[in-house]
Amino acid sequence: MKRLFLLSLALFAITLAYAQELKITGTLVDRDTREGVMLATVQLLKADSTYITGVLSDDNGRFAVKAPAAGQYILKVSSVGYVTLMKNVKVSGKSTLALGNIEFGADAIMLKGATVVGQAARVTVKEDTFVYNASARLKAPSLRSWSSVCLALR
């Protein structure tokens, strides 16, 4: 009876040890507005920058990343329009490492404007006639193009 009790107690302790979940939690906050940054990518990397796992922050900027074991890690936080943040974290035997509010600064360099260039159609076909657009800067027609037009009209 005593052995059975000790065996069940040992199995229970081992189960609790394996059930302990190591988490890193925090809240991403915009430096200027003090609002949570939603849908930011939070990645957990090994010390040599090898990817382990990652999550997205929720609507209020909160995140929770599971660490596989205790040790030194790099927490990489990135989002469009923000400067990528790298933070060294040390996960100990505790179940949760709370980082609190993490300020996330906006990226001052935004995308440049796009220039759209279009050209008018030089020649359009309406029913049985060719309509030339004078503003499309047509070059002088060559004999080859006129011969192809004449062949198309036959």
Side-chain angles (χ1 to χ4, degrees):
M1 184 72 170
K2 193 176 190 181
R3 286 184 182 177
L4 181 63
F5 176 72
L6 289 176
L7 180 64
S8 61
L9 184 63
L11 287 174
F12 181 70
I14 291 172
T15 305
L16 281 179
Y18 279 110
Q20 187 177 17
E21 207 173 63
L22 300 174
K23 281 187 187 177
I24 301 170
T25 62
T27 304
L28 300 174
V29 178
D30 187 297
R31 183 178 297 143
D32 300 327
T33 64
R34 294 292 191 208
E35 294 179 358
V37 179
M38 70 169 121
L39 298 177
T41 304
V42 181
Q43 297 176 343
L44 188 64
L45 310 174
K46 290 182 182 177
D48 63 353
S49 299
T50 306
Y51 176 81
I52 298 172
T53 186
V55 296
L56 292 176
S57 61
D58 66 7
D59 293 342
N60 298 319
R62 293 186 303 255
F63 67 90
V65 180
K66 293 180 184 177
Q72 287 282 109
Y73 296 102
I74 300 171
L75 194 69
K76 180 181 178 183
V77 182
S78 60
S79 183
V80 175
Y82 290 91
V83 178
T84 300
L85 177 71
M86 305 280 267
K87 185 175 181 111
N88 290 319
V89 292
K90 183 177 181 180
V91 177
S92 61
K94 295 180 182 179
S95 61
T96 301
L97 172 63
L99 298 176
N101 288 346
I102 300 172
E103 286 189 355
F104 208 32
D107 194 359
I109 300 173
M110 299 302 282
L111 296 176
K112 294 181 181 178
T115 303
V116 179
V117 178
Q119 292 182 339
R122 294 181 178 170
V123 178
T124 56
V125 178
K126 289 190 179 179
E127 296 178 17
D128 62 342
T129 59
F130 288 94
V131 178
Y132 291 96
N133 187 351
S135 64
R137 296 186 186 161
L138 288 174
K139 294 180 182 176
S142 66
L143 290 176
R144 184 173 183 188
S145 63
W146 278 112
S147 62
S148 61
V149 170
C150 292
L151 286 174
L153 290 175
R154 288 186 189 171

